[in-house]
Amino acid sequence: MSVIALGEKYYRDVLALSEYAFQFKFDDEEVEEVIDDMKKHHLLYGICDEDQLAAKLHLLPLEVSFGDQRYKMGGIAGVATYPQYRRNGYIRELLKHVLLTMKNDGFTVSMLHPLSVSFYRKFGYELFSNRLMCTINKSNLVMQKQAKGRVKLYRKDTHPAEINEVYHQYAKKFAGMLVRNEERWKSVYYDNLTAAVYYNEQNEATGYMLYRVKDSIMSVREFITLNHEARQGLWNFSCQHDSMINELKIILNEKEPLLHTLQEPRVTAELRPYFMARIVDAKAFLDQYSFAWENQTSVVSLHVTDEAASWNNTTFVLDNRHVHIDKEVEALATQGTGLCVDIQALTAMLFGYKRPIELYELEQLTGPKEQVEALEQLIPTYQPFFSDFF
């Protein structure tokens, strides 16, 4: 069993496996467009049985942001195998191969949308982001205070540059948001979405939403605002569709205060775990990470374990505004010195999905309580969020 890079001669085989595994069919006019996208943006890996493609995986070279910081991220997508080759360890080999490839190519993190959370946890991935899925009945579409600005509509072919800056400013508030280039923005308009952009009195874009109206339902896939005026303006714009729709379905960040502002906030809302992430190279990630060094009260030692990426099995010492590896401390890991954490819990903690004290109570971070408290002071209060899909 060997993993190979899949060149252009395999592209149609890759599409056929995707169609079979995910139970859909590309339209004839879509095929060339998808192949062109794979040529430009995908690194493809697979395992073959003689001339038959048995399993495959797509690696997307991307970036994510943590505030003002950017990290090189490998997106995993399109993982599939034909049924007759299942339970042969093909996907395991593909993931192990791609993890090493990402490490060697300088990727510090990886992300994916899981079919099975438990399966990808075996390879060091952990949930890091939630989404709030809301359904609002037509009777609750009540206008708020009239905003002073205006809303303009755009489509994929008229996408305005102002949206990019709104997204960028919004993303800086979170950990894990995708850095969108021009090509990435094109994919955001999937499913014939329309962009409604709010402009204030100075004609500055301060918010937008991506939506479509179909079968008497307005579906808002992205709701991004930089201030409350934009929030009101876009909400009122949604309410103006009350003669066309019976309900509004909207995806929100779990901390988005929109629901609190409604006349009747008790709408149907479900908080759903969404994307998974894993730190690929712990040393490189920790070196770049913005610890709250000014809050450090004592030295912290982290004994990290990673079953899928052995290079991360290391002890890191956080001291004097520096992350370093200490072999003497590493030798004491089994003697109860320092904190022990696996790569999944480390990822959840550094993304802000779980605090050190929460992981300690869950027994996913073990060691002296005083070091847990010291680590609690070092980890910034990041709020994770991810609004894309691949």
Side-chain angles (χ1 to χ4, degrees), residues 188-201:
V188 170
Y189 284 87
Y190 73 98
D191 228 1
N192 293 317
L193 296 183
T194 298
V197 184
Y198 179 81
Y199 294 87
N200 63 19
E201 287 186 294

Side-chain angles (χ1 to χ4, degrees), residues 9 40 56-57 101 113 131 153 157 172 186 190 194 204 270 273 297 302 322 346 375:
K9 73 173 186 177
K40 292 178 180 178
K56 54 92 176 180
L57 175 155
T101 298
H113 184 258
R131 298 197 302 177
L153 303 184
D157 58 346
K172 288 168 65 173
K186 291 179 182 178
Y190 73 98
T194 298
E204 299 165 331
E270 180 183 1
T297 57
L302 281 174
H322 184 62
L346 182 68
L375 184 59

Side-chain angles (χ1 to χ4, degrees), residues 8-155:
E8 291 187 31
K9 73 173 186 177
Y10 286 100
Y11 282 179
R12 292 187 181 273
D13 294 333
V14 166
L15 296 186
L17 177 47
S18 289
E19 290 178 327
Y20 189 95
F22 305 122
Q23 294 295 287
F24 71 97
K25 182 72 175 175
F26 289 109
D27 294 334
D28 291 340
E29 59 269 22
E30 288 181 313
V31 171
E32 292 305 321
E33 183 179 341
V34 173
I35 289 177
D36 185 60
D37 185 63
M38 288 195 298
K39 286 180 184 178
K40 292 178 180 178
H41 307 298
H42 295 212
L43 301 174
L44 300 173
Y45 298 91
I47 294 175
C48 294
D49 177 14
E50 297 181 351
D51 294 331
Q52 169 74 48
L53 179 63
K56 54 92 176 180
L57 175 155
H58 302 232
L59 173 61
L60 286 66
L62 299 165
E63 284 187 306
V64 292
S65 61
F66 279 59
D68 290 320
Q69 292 266 46
R70 290 188 177 188
Y71 290 80
K72 192 174 178 182
M73 186 273 284
I76 304 297
V79 180
T81 184
Y82 281 109
Q84 63 269 35
Y85 298 109
R86 291 186 63 199
R87 298 180 176 86
N88 286 328
Y90 287 6
I91 299 303
R92 178 180 297 276
E93 287 303 309
L94 281 169
L95 287 168
K96 288 173 61 178
H97 178 89
V98 170
L99 279 172
L100 181 58
T101 298
M102 286 191 287
K103 196 264 185 184
N104 291 338
D105 290 345
F107 290 87
T108 49
V109 292
S110 177
M111 293 181 181
L112 55 82
H113 184 258
L115 180 64
S116 166
V117 169
S118 62
F119 177 79
Y120 285 103
R121 277 177 169 163
K122 297 175 185 177
F123 300 95
Y125 287 86
E126 186 52 89
L127 292 165
F128 83 94
S129 177
N130 299 328
R131 298 197 302 177
L132 195 63
M133 317 289 287
C134 306
T135 301
I136 302 174
N137 292 330
K138 177 178 179 177
S139 59
N140 288 334
L141 296 179
V142 180
M143 298 274 286
Q144 298 184 6
K145 175 184 175 182
Q146 185 65 42
K148 296 180 180 180
R150 62 193 177 115
V151 172
K152 293 181 66 176
L153 303 184
Y154 300 92
R155 300 301 293 267

Side-chain angles (χ1 to χ4, degrees), residues 79-328:
V79 180
T81 184
Y82 281 109
Q84 63 269 35
Y85 298 109
R86 291 186 63 199
R87 298 180 176 86
N88 286 328
Y90 287 6
I91 299 303
R92 178 180 297 276
E93 287 303 309
L94 281 169
L95 287 168
K96 288 173 61 178
H97 178 89
V98 170
L99 279 172
L100 181 58
T101 298
M102 286 191 287
K103 196 264 185 184
N104 291 338
D105 290 345
F107 290 87
T108 49
V109 292
S110 177
M111 293 181 181
L112 55 82
H113 184 258
L115 180 64
S116 166
V117 169
S118 62
F119 177 79
Y120 285 103
R121 277 177 169 163
K122 297 175 185 177
F123 300 95
Y125 287 86
E126 186 52 89
L127 292 165
F128 83 94
S129 177
N130 299 328
R131 298 197 302 177
L132 195 63
M133 317 289 287
C134 306
T135 301
I136 302 174
N137 292 330
K138 177 178 179 177
S139 59
N140 288 334
L141 296 179
V142 180
M143 298 274 286
Q144 298 184 6
K145 175 184 175 182
Q146 185 65 42
K148 296 180 180 180
R150 62 193 177 115
V151 172
K152 293 181 66 176
L153 303 184
Y154 300 92
R155 300 301 293 267
K156 179 178 178 178
D157 58 346
T158 58
H159 173 81
E162 302 98 280
I163 297 184
N164 303 24
E165 183 59 24
V166 172
Y167 175 86
H168 176 66
Q169 293 300 321
Y170 183 82
K172 288 168 65 173
K173 304 175 184 178
F174 302 96
M177 292 282 276
L178 197 65
V179 177
R180 291 179 179 170
N181 57 21
E182 183 178 345
E183 287 298 317
R184 191 66 207 173
W185 270 107
K186 291 179 182 178
S187 67
V188 170
Y189 284 87
Y190 73 98
D191 228 1
N192 293 317
L193 296 183
T194 298
V197 184
Y198 179 81
Y199 294 87
N200 63 19
E201 287 186 294
Q202 289 73 44
N203 202 35
E204 299 165 331
T206 56
Y208 71 87
M209 68 184 207
L210 294 168
Y211 75 98
R212 74 168 185 169
V213 177
K214 184 178 180 180
D215 298 329
S216 300
I217 298 173
M218 173 180 266
S219 300
V220 178
R221 307 287 176 83
E222 196 162 277
F223 187 85
I224 304 291
T225 62
L226 301 182
N227 53 43
H228 186 50
E229 179 187 327
R231 183 178 295 112
Q232 285 182 317
L234 292 172
W235 169 255
N236 288 344
F237 170 76
S238 301
C239 293
Q240 297 282 30
H241 290 75
D242 58 353
S243 65
M244 302 168 56
I245 63 175
N246 294 322
E247 62 183 21
L248 167 67
K249 292 183 177 292
I250 183 169
I251 299 172
L252 299 172
N253 174 274
E254 59 184 302
K255 299 295 184 182
E256 166 58 48
L258 174 66
L259 299 185
H260 181 70
T261 71
L262 303 187
Q263 182 171 299
E264 178 49 80
R266 294 175 297 178
V267 304
T268 300
E270 180 183 1
L271 187 65
R272 294 184 188 174
Y274 184 43
F275 249 66
M276 299 183 82
R278 71 110 71 217
I279 295 171
V280 172
D281 188 331
K283 181 62 168 67
F285 188 91
L286 290 169
D287 282 342
Q288 189 178 347
Y289 193 75
S290 296
F291 287 101
W293 294 114
E294 66 279 6
N295 297 332
Q296 185 162 28
T297 57
S298 62
V299 177
V300 174
S301 299
L302 281 174
H303 308 300
V304 178
T305 57
D306 189 337
E307 294 184 4
S310 59
W311 55 85
N312 289 327
N313 292 321
T314 306
T315 294
F316 301 96
V317 178
L318 314 182
D319 182 29
N320 195 26
R321 297 178 176 271
H322 184 62
V323 178
H324 60 94
I325 296 173
D326 192 317
K327 293 298 181 183
E328 290 186 17

